[in-house]
Amino acid sequence: MDYMQKRSRRKFIYNLGMAGLGIPFLSAAANCDNESSKQQTMQSKKAKLGIALVGLGGYAGGQLAPALQQTEHCYLAGIVTGTPSKIPVWKEKYNIPDKNIYNYDNYDSIKDNPDIDIIYVVLPNNMHAEYTIRAAGAGKHVICEKPMAITVEDCDRMIAACNKANVHLSIGYRLHFEPYNLEMVRCGTKKIYGEIKKLGGGFGFVARPSQWRLTQKYAGGGPLMDLGIYVIQGMCYTTGMLPIAVTAQEGTKTDFERFKEVEQSLTWQFEFPNGLIAEGKTSYNDSHNFLHAEAEQGVFELTSAYNYTGQRGSTPAGVMNFPHINQQAKQMDGIAMAIRNNKKSIVPGEMGKRDVNYLQAVYEAMRTGKKIEIK
Ligand code: NAD
């Protein structure tokens, strides 16, 4: 019997995002003005929703644009860039018409462009709030990269702006669409192997990240903001629980020049409502990439958990063998379908805000050396 036969065949609807958040679905009937209902009708008629990428850096160019060549429900319709030299390259590679190319000054006029349904913000972390709020002001749905922002207050402003404009806001949490991570969700939340007794996760690599990632003002912190956030997510979606308290310790700093503003590495411990303590670690100087759960009837784990591809994992039923999909294509298609059907995203702004609150609690615990209760 292979893994798929051994594991329960029960289908599950993955709606963890909503479960812990108590988020009402966007109600078109309750909330819709004429203009947005007109837009929604137009969107439901379109074969594919048009996405404009804002910020044409490593992730937009290396992952999102190629993924948008494989999507079924959305396509790369436009770009927004502050670097004119990138325009001819992108135009040619992706066949983007001039009328769908914007810079940061004329960005707001995107409101008049019916080709663009969704704006995907892929800028440094501290710019997410401004460009999300301006996207909402232009009446466009938004996908915003992780971490949603660098403060909870910014997250609140982003959510309020999207609610006011009656547009959908999703966070670029690709692993909610990735089969190996979804198997961790199934095993953990359905208690397939009993209660989780021990949980740990780590994400880090030896990196020379671009300067903004090492600057507090732009990144809001170090590897925790960039990589540790995946571990926080993994702990929440594997347990189906939300942490109530945290302790944290900064790792030893060996490179004071590069890490003068942010941590080089960090460990933390989340306490969950049932008493489970989950151990997390993140680093720009050590390699970790795992999510490990020890349950009453055995271990289920990912030994390669957070990459764009190449996930590996096992459960007491054997080695996981799911297809390796294009995570970003699945993610953008999933979000586009939610928009088209006016269903709440499974990775909504409220989840992004929840996680920014956890990130800040981890930093507070690290700075103070105290156990911090999470509100
Ligand atoms: P990057 O440095 O490669 O690109 C950043 C882009 O922002 C560049 O095009 C740059 O020109 C532009 N930019 C505009 N104003 C800038 C300024 N003042 N300073 C620096 N750059 C400026 O970064 P990236 O790796 O593409 O990351 C962008 C966002 O995407 C980040 O929020 C990051 O956390 C997120 N990200 C997510 C994933 C994922 O797997 N979901 C992976 C990588 C990055």
Side-chain angles (χ1 to χ4, degrees):
M1 247 203 299
D2 72 8
Y3 184 80
M4 296 298 281
Q5 289 168 317
K6 274 192 209 159
R7 63 162 255 199
S8 155
R9 298 183 67 84
R10 203 174 347 155
K11 288 214 170 129
F12 65 98
I13 297 169
Y14 177 51
N15 62 358
L16 178 73
M18 307 311 115
L21 291 165
I23 301 162
F25 281 70
L26 279 187
S27 158
N31 236 345
C32 225
D33 60 21
N34 283 343
E35 194 46 45
S36 54
S37 62
K38 231 188 300 168
Q39 271 189 20
Q40 275 161 11
T41 311
M42 276 167 60
Q43 281 161 4
S44 61
K45 283 187 188 148
K46 275 187 175 179
K48 288 184 171 191
L49 300 186
I51 293 191
L53 296 174
V54 186
L56 308 181
Y59 192 54
Q63 305 302 323
L64 297 176
L68 281 162
Q69 311 312 303
Q70 297 184 31
T71 39
E72 288 173 44
H73 305 294
C74 52
Y75 74 105
L76 179 56
I79 50 175
V80 182
T81 179
T83 314
S85 60
K86 290 180 183 167
I87 293 174
V89 182
W90 278 71
K91 237 177 88 162
E92 188 173 329
K93 195 163 179 191
Y94 296 113
N95 198 21
I96 298 169
D98 286 329
K99 68 182 173 67
N100 292 357
I101 299 175
Y102 293 84
N103 57 47
Y104 298 134
D105 296 326
N106 66 13
Y107 174 56
D108 304 282
S109 64
I110 213 164
K111 73 176 189 319
D112 301 318
N113 191 333
D115 289 355
I116 312 296
D117 303 292
I118 304 169
I119 290 178
Y120 197 149
V121 179
V122 206
L123 290 163
N125 303 346
N126 71 321
M127 299 173 75
H128 292 179
E130 177 188 342
Y131 284 85
T132 294
I133 291 167
R134 285 170 70 183
K140 304 298 179 185
H141 304 292
V142 189
I143 307 173
C144 175
E145 257 316 317
K146 44 57 59 177
M148 178 172 170
I150 60 173
T151 66
V152 173
E153 294 72 25
D154 275 351
C155 297
D156 280 330
R157 294 194 301 119
M158 295 158 81
I159 292 167
C162 290
N163 285 344
K164 184 171 171 214
N166 196 35
V167 294
H168 291 244
L169 172 59
S170 296
I171 308 303
Y173 286 141
R174 56 188 164 77
L175 296 177
H176 288 246
F177 301 84
E178 193 284 313
Y180 288 73
N181 280 271
L182 290 176
E183 178 65 348
M184 293 296 283
V185 174
R186 188 184 76 91
C187 293
T189 59
K190 305 273 179 195
K191 303 192 196 310
I192 303 292
Y193 303 106
E195 289 287 342
I196 298 175
K197 295 292 175 198
K198 209 170 158 196
L199 181 66
F203 192 20
F205 38 77
V206 183
R208 295 197 72 82
S210 54
Q211 197 49 44
W212 72 259
R213 281 191 162 86
L214 299 173
T215 308
Q216 182 69 29
K217 180 178 142 203
Y218 285 105
L224 181 69
M225 298 297 280
D226 197 23
L227 308 177
I229 187 170
Y230 288 98
V231 179
I232 290 178
Q233 277 259 313
M235 290 171 169
C236 295
Y237 56 63
T238 301
T239 58
M241 292 188 289
L242 304 178
I244 54 170
V246 59
T247 49
Q249 306 77 32
E250 182 166 8
T252 307
K253 218 174 247 195
T254 54
D255 187 340
F256 289 91
E257 183 49 35
R258 278 202 300 145
F259 298 103
K260 59 175 178 278
E261 293 197 18
V262 300
E263 79 280 3
Q264 180 177 317
S265 59
L266 177 66
T267 52
W268 75 95
Q269 301 76 37
F270 271 151
E271 183 183 332
F272 285 94
N274 65 352
L276 175 71
I277 304 290
E279 301 267 351
K281 56 183 173 182
T282 187
S283 177
Y284 277 148
N285 212 48
D286 292 306
S287 298
H288 329 284
N289 192 337
F290 71 96
L291 184 57
H292 175 95
E294 291 180 28
E296 288 166 318
Q297 287 134 43
V299 169
F300 56 99
E301 64 177 344
L302 300 180
T303 49
S304 176
Y306 312 105
N307 293 345
Y308 300 144
T309 185
Q311 268 69 14
R312 285 191 307 274
S314 63
T315 71
V319 174
M320 293 184 199
N321 62 355
F322 297 104
H324 288 281
I325 47 100
N326 184 312
Q327 297 172 17
Q328 289 84 0
K330 275 265 186 241
Q331 169 215 326
M332 290 187 279
D333 267 344
I335 291 171
M337 283 305 283
I339 290 171
R340 164 154 297 151
N341 297 328
N342 201 30
K343 291 259 165 59
K344 187 87 182 174
S345 165
I346 64 165
V347 285
E350 288 82 354
M351 181 186 280
K353 171 185 161 178
R354 178 199 80 182
D355 295 343
V356 172
N357 187 39
Y358 297 155
L359 293 167
Q360 297 205 331
V362 174
Y363 280 130
E364 191 184 342
M366 180 190 92
R367 274 193 308 270
T368 60
K370 292 189 176 139
K371 175 167 158 176
I372 301 297
E373 309 291 332
I374 299 174
K375 290 182 234 52

